[in-house]
Amino acid sequence: MNKDQHTSEGKEVDWTGFLPGIAIDCVMVGYNEKQLKVLILEYKETGFFALPGGFIRRNENLDVAAQRVLQKRTGLEGIQLNQFHTFGSLNRYAPEPMRKIMKKNGLQPAEDHFLLQRFVSTAYYALVNFEQAEPIADFLSDSCRWYDINQLPKLLWDHRDIIQKALESLRKNIDDAAVGLTLLDEEYTMRELRTLYETILDKEINRSSFHRKMVNSGRLERVGKKSTGKAHRSPYLYKFVSN
Amino acid sequence: MNKDQHTSEGKEVDWTGFLPGIAIDCVMVGYNEKQLKVLILEYKETGFFALPGGFIRRNENLDVAAQRVLQKRTGLEGIQLNQFHTFGSLNRYAPEPMRKIMKKNGLQPAEDHFLLQRFVSTAYYALVNFEQAEPIADFLSDSCRWYDINQLPKLLWDHRDIIQKALESLRKNIDDAAVGLTLLDEEYTMRELRTLYETILDKEINRSSFHRKMVNSGRLERVGKKSTGKAHRSPYLYKFVSN
C-alpha cells in the first residue's frame, strides 16, 4: 500500500492505478556479527506482523515497483533487490486480515475490492547490514523492526514460507549476495568473510578449503593488512573485484 | 488460453474465471545429441510465433496452472516445471497481436478486455528429451514445434528475453536439470553426461576434472558397463542417485 494514494482519510483512494491480482513482498535479510535478522512490519493497532509489501502501478515496471514499495514502507533506499520467486498458492488467500487493516486506516472496502481478492506475490530479497540500515515505519505500521530469523513473530498469510524460500535462495546465491552486502563492499579479513558464510549457511566451514576456494574464484583482491600493531600477526584484507 | 473456456465460436467465453493481470509462459528446452531446441507455437493464420502460455484460474494454484497450460497447449504431461522468473516490464505490453489472435478465433474483445491490458508473466522451464516428447498443436495454433535455440523465429512480446533468462537459469541449475531430463533417468556414460553439460553450457569441459567433480558430488552411482563387445574398452554406466 502506498502513501501517495492511500491517505489516512482514505475514502477517496483511487485503487484503479494499480495492477490487480499481483503484489510484491520484500525479504530484507539483515546481517551483522554472526546474526541474521529479517525486517518485519507491525500493522497499526492490529497486532498483525508481515513482510513489507505493496502493489504495482499500472505504468510501472515490476522491479521499479519493488524498489518503491521497499522505500515507502521501510525508508530503505538504493538496495539491490533480487527477485527470487512468485508465490501463487490458493492457501495464501485470506482476506480477513486485509479487511481489518483497511478498516484501521479508515477504509470501508466493498466486498469486491481487489485487495480482498486473491493475489499472487512476487518476492524479492536483499542482504543488508542491519546496523547501517535505519528502517522507518510507514503510516500504516506501528513498527518496522529487525527480528532474529529464528524468533520471528507469527506472520500474516504465507510470509513465513516466503522467508524460508528467501533463505534458500540466499544460500544458493551466497557468492553474489556477499558482494551485495554493504559491509563487504569495503575491506574485510578472510575470517570475517568466512563468518558471514557460516552464519548464512548455518554450518561450520573448513578454514583452509574456504580460503582456497575464495582465492581461486578470482573474485577477491588482496588490498593490504589489517593494522593490529603486530605486523607479522596481522591478517590480510580483501575486497571483491569489481566487474 | 484454454480450450475448456475458449471455444472457436467464442462469443460466450467466460473470462471471469481467470485471474487478471498475470500470465504463465513455458520454456521447454529440448535436448538430444548435442542439440538444444525450444518448443514454439505458431498462432493460427497470424504468422505469430510465441512460447506456450496461458492464464491462471481463480481457484487454481499457480504451479498447477503451469502444468495445465503446458498440457493444454502442447500435449506434454508429467514434466517437472521449474519456476525461474516473473517478467513485469512495461515494455512487454503490446495488445495488438493479442487482438489479432482473438479475432482469428472468432472473438471481438471489448477494449477493456483483460487480455488486451497489461499483464506480468511468471515463467517456467524444463529440460526434456525432444525426441521422446511429442508436442501437439492446440486449436489456437497452426503448429507446435521444436526450433534450434540459435535459429528461433521472430517471437511475440518479450519471449526471446524469457528464453534467454531460462537458459541462464538452466545453466545455473544444470546439476538439478540434468537429473530431471528423462533421458538421464536411465543409465549413461560419463561421456554422454559431459556432452549434455557441454551442450547446455556451450563450452568444452575438461574430461578428468568433470569426472572427478561428478564422482565427488555423491549424486552418481555406477551401475555396470556398457556392452560394446570389448569388455576392457567398455565405458562404465552411471545413474543419478535417487533421494
Side-chain angles (χ1 to χ4, degrees):
Chain A
M1 274 171 271
N2 184 273
K3 207 165 193 165
D4 298 351
Q5 311 225 1
H6 185 157
T7 67
S8 56
E9 293 77 38
K11 302 296 188 292
E12 314 94 311
V13 171
D14 178 17
W15 285 102
T16 61
F18 291 90
L19 287 186
I22 180 159
I24 285 172
D25 284 302
C26 299
V27 185
M28 305 306 295
V29 181
Y31 170 77
N32 191 46
E33 290 182 3
K34 306 189 189 183
Q35 283 193 305
L36 287 188
K37 308 250 182 184
V38 179
L39 194 56
I40 302 288
L41 295 176
E42 181 176 4
Y43 278 102
K44 198 163 76 177
E45 296 166 30
T46 58
F48 291 155
F49 295 87
L51 292 167
F55 300 95
I56 304 146
R57 291 193 178 139
R58 290 196 182 270
N59 62 351
E60 186 179 49
N61 284 330
L62 181 59
D63 291 345
V64 172
Q67 290 286 348
R68 177 183 51 76
V69 164
L70 180 66
Q71 193 277 321
K72 290 282 177 189
R73 304 232 44 201
T74 71
L76 301 185
E77 284 185 275
I79 289 167
Q80 171 72 43
L81 291 170
N82 308 287
Q83 191 201 108
F84 66 97
H85 198 71
T86 293
F87 294 81
S89 164
L90 286 169
N91 297 337
R92 68 191 314 277
Y93 174 61
E96 275 317 311
M98 185 62 91
R99 199 190 315 269
K100 191 166 171 191
I101 291 166
M102 292 175 85
K103 283 188 179 169
K104 283 288 176 192
N105 286 281
L107 293 161
Q108 298 291 336
E111 277 307 305
D112 65 350
H113 193 288
F114 90 89
L115 288 181
L116 300 178
Q117 292 172 32
R118 175 185 175 195
F119 42 82
V120 307
S121 181
T122 297
Y124 291 78
Y125 75 82
L127 184 64
V128 298
N129 183 332
F130 74 77
E131 283 231 320
Q132 286 170 20
E134 288 179 23
I136 304 162
D138 69 346
F139 72 105
L140 289 166
S141 312
D142 279 337
S143 71
C144 176
R145 247 185 254 155
W146 295 106
Y147 287 81
D148 191 306
I149 204 161
N150 299 311
Q151 290 181 302
L152 295 170
K154 186 171 185 303
L155 299 174
L156 285 183
W157 303 301
D158 58 349
H159 285 193
R160 186 172 280 269
D161 298 338
I162 293 178
I163 292 170
Q164 184 55 38
K165 186 95 177 175
L167 200 54
E168 289 166 18
S169 297
L170 175 56
R171 286 174 176 159
K172 205 165 176 176
N173 297 290
I174 188 169
D175 292 331
D176 296 326
V179 180
L181 185 68
T182 311
L183 175 72
L184 297 182
D185 283 339
E186 300 164 16
E187 300 167 2
Y188 46 87
T189 65
M190 196 58 88
R191 178 199 286 266
E192 286 166 343
L193 186 60
R194 180 161 51 85
T195 302
L196 167 66
Y197 274 65
E198 288 181 334
T199 306
I200 292 171
L201 299 175
D202 196 21
K203 65 177 184 190
E204 281 189 35
I205 297 173
N206 178 276
R207 192 179 145 279
S208 59
S209 65
F210 180 77
H211 189 105
R212 191 168 51 242
K213 188 189 129 188
M214 284 294 137
V215 169
N216 289 345
S217 75
R219 303 182 78 189
L220 292 187
E221 191 178 336
R222 207 157 78 178
V223 288
K225 280 199 167 195
K226 194 168 181 173
S227 50
T228 57
K230 296 171 187 166
H232 65 289
R233 293 188 57 193
S234 303
Y236 283 108
L237 287 167
Y238 296 84
K239 66 173 188 178
F240 283 107
V241 176
S242 46
N243 287 326
Chain B
M1 275 172 270
N2 184 273
K3 208 165 193 165
D4 299 349
Q5 312 225 1
H6 185 157
T7 68
S8 54
E9 292 76 38
K11 303 295 189 293
E12 313 94 310
V13 172
D14 177 17
W15 284 102
T16 61
F18 291 91
L19 287 186
I22 181 159
I24 285 173
D25 284 300
C26 299
V27 185
M28 306 306 295
V29 181
Y31 170 76
N32 191 48
E33 291 183 2
K34 306 189 188 183
Q35 284 191 307
L36 286 188
K37 308 251 183 185
V38 179
L39 194 56
I40 301 290
L41 295 177
E42 182 176 4
Y43 278 102
K44 199 162 76 179
E45 297 166 30
T46 57
F48 290 156
F49 295 87
L51 292 167
F55 300 95
I56 304 146
R57 292 193 179 138
R58 290 195 182 272
N59 62 350
E60 186 178 48
N61 284 331
L62 181 59
D63 291 345
V64 172
Q67 291 286 348
R68 177 184 51 76
V69 164
L70 180 66
Q71 193 277 322
K72 290 282 177 190
R73 305 235 41 204
T74 71
L76 302 184
E77 285 186 274
I79 290 168
Q80 172 71 42
L81 290 170
N82 308 287
Q83 192 202 107
F84 66 96
H85 198 72
T86 293
F87 294 82
S89 164
L90 286 170
N91 297 337
R92 67 192 315 277
Y93 174 61
E96 275 317 310
M98 186 63 92
R99 200 191 314 269
K100 192 167 171 190
I101 291 166
M102 293 175 85
K103 283 188 178 169
K104 283 289 176 192
N105 286 280
L107 293 161
Q108 298 291 337
E111 277 307 306
D112 65 350
H113 193 289
F114 90 89
L115 288 181
L116 300 179
Q117 291 173 31
R118 177 186 175 194
F119 41 85
V120 307
S121 181
T122 297
Y124 291 78
Y125 76 82
L127 185 63
V128 298
N129 182 333
F130 73 77
E131 282 229 322
Q132 286 171 18
E134 288 179 23
I136 303 162
D138 70 344
F139 73 104
L140 289 166
S141 313
D142 280 336
S143 71
C144 177
R145 248 185 253 155
W146 295 106
Y147 287 81
D148 190 307
I149 205 162
N150 299 311
Q151 290 181 303
L152 295 170
K154 187 171 184 303
L155 299 174
L156 285 182
W157 303 302
D158 58 349
H159 286 193
R160 185 171 281 270
D161 298 339
I162 294 179
I163 292 171
Q164 184 54 39
K165 186 94 175 176
L167 198 55
E168 289 166 19
S169 298
L170 174 56
R171 286 173 177 159
K172 206 165 174 175
N173 298 290
I174 188 168
D175 291 332
D176 296 325
V179 181
L181 185 67
T182 311
L183 176 73
L184 297 181
D185 282 339
E186 300 163 17
E187 301 166 2
Y188 45 86
T189 65
M190 195 59 87
R191 178 200 287 266
E192 286 166 343
L193 186 61
R194 180 162 51 88
T195 302
L196 167 67
Y197 274 65
E198 287 182 334
T199 306
I200 292 171
L201 299 174
D202 196 20
K203 66 176 184 191
E204 282 189 34
I205 297 174
N206 178 277
R207 192 178 145 279
S208 59
S209 67
F210 180 77
H211 189 105
R212 190 169 52 242
K213 189 189 129 187
M214 283 295 138
V215 169
N216 288 345
S217 75
R219 304 183 77 188
L220 292 187
E221 191 177 337
R222 208 157 77 177
V223 288
K225 278 198 168 196
K226 193 168 181 171
S227 48
T228 57
K230 297 171 186 165
H232 65 290
R233 293 187 57 193
S234 303
Y236 283 108
L237 288 168
Y238 296 85
K239 66 173 189 178
F240 282 106
V241 176
S242 46
N243 287 325

